[in-house]
Amino acid sequence: MSRSRILVVDDDAVTRELLRGVLERAGHDVTEAADGRDGLRELYARAPDAVILDVEMPELDGWATLERIRDLSDVPVLMLTARETELERVRGLQGGADDYVIKPFGHQELVARVHALLRRAGARGEEQPTYADARLTIDFAQLHVRFDERDVQLTPLELRLLATLVRHPNQVLSRDQLLELVWGDTFGVSPEQVKLYVGYLRRKLDPAAPQSTPIETVRGFGYRYRRPD
């Protein structure tokens, strides 16, 4: 793994110091911010390769900071929280987070998750910049999606899922394959997440008739994108 720039946004100085030590030992450069506003300023100034973002911060909390980050960038974001609930995890993923770690965390696990985010971001940079068929167009550089002549707003995770499906047209991908290709590091991620996000994706592509989208369920096997002629 090459040296990368990691931005750590956390109001707790002890946690920031811990993360700096762990990530620098793993070979990365680390920039710190003590709150969401400072974090956004650092994001503008230094364009990090990944962001580690605490949820519970005063004033501009992690959720509000994440929303502003996603207005500007698709930089990989790993959320930190002390609350281990499914609703919290789903909120983070729906809001555009790429991964989610519960405090206290294992040092090796955190480094592995950061590396998985960086690998996925690097792989995305090598992919074709656009995709188009009779119903769907995607501009990956601009994060712009149109389906049936209508603009569609997707979270980064939803866009990765759609991109993975369209880049394997008419091929059935199992839940495990999609977890590996889309989520990367599948530690602690249930295969049910795939079903959940396929549902989100269908409803966003066609809110009136989600089952009419080209994303097909192949019972007992997985999902495929049936490319329109």
Side-chain angles (χ1 to χ4, degrees), residues 73-106:
S73 171
D74 66 344
V75 63
V77 177
L78 183 150
M79 303 291 286
L80 291 179
T81 183
R83 291 184 285 185
E84 187 174 4
T85 68
E86 183 179 0
L87 272 178
E88 191 90 346
R89 184 185 295 270
V90 168
R91 181 182 180 186
L93 295 174
Q94 286 183 322
D98 296 88
D99 203 353
Y100 200 89
V101 169
I102 309 298
K103 296 179 180 179
F105 48 82

Side-chain angles (χ1 to χ4, degrees), residues 40 53 61-73 95-96:
L40 291 169
L53 178 62
D61 67 8
W63 304 123
T65 305
L66 176 63
E67 183 177 358
R68 296 192 188 182
I69 288 174
R70 283 294 169 251
D71 287 339
L72 302 163
S73 171

Side-chain angles (χ1 to χ4, degrees), residues 165 172-173 175 194-195 198-199 202 210-211 213-226:
L165 290 166
V172 179
L173 298 174
R175 289 186 183 184
V194 177
K195 180 179 179 182
V198 166
R202 285 171 170 157
Q211 294 306 317
T213 70
I215 302 172
E216 298 182 345
T217 300
V218 182
R219 291 194 180 278
F221 293 95
Y223 303 91
R224 70 178 161 209
Y225 184 84
R226 178 75 75 180

Side-chain angles (χ1 to χ4, degrees), residues 97-172:
D98 296 88
D99 203 353
Y100 200 89
V101 169
I102 309 298
K103 296 179 180 179
F105 48 82
H107 297 182
Q108 291 182 342
E109 179 193 346
L110 182 126
V111 169
R113 287 180 178 273
V114 170
H115 285 177
L117 294 184
L118 293 169
R119 282 196 302 272
R120 292 204 297 272
R124 290 201 299 274
E126 298 167 1
E127 294 166 347
Q128 291 299 314
T130 61
Y131 170 87
D133 62 38
R135 302 185 69 185
L136 176 71
T137 60
I138 308 173
D139 183 331
F140 295 102
Q142 299 299 319
L143 306 180
H144 183 234
V145 177
R146 284 181 67 82
F147 184 76
D148 288 347
E149 302 304 318
R150 184 179 63 85
D151 289 341
V152 179
Q153 300 297 319
L154 300 179
T155 68
L157 183 59
E158 290 164 349
L159 181 56
R160 285 203 303 274
L161 176 57
L162 180 60
T164 300
L165 290 166
V166 301
R167 287 185 169 124
H168 299 81
N170 305 317
Q171 177 183 339
V172 179

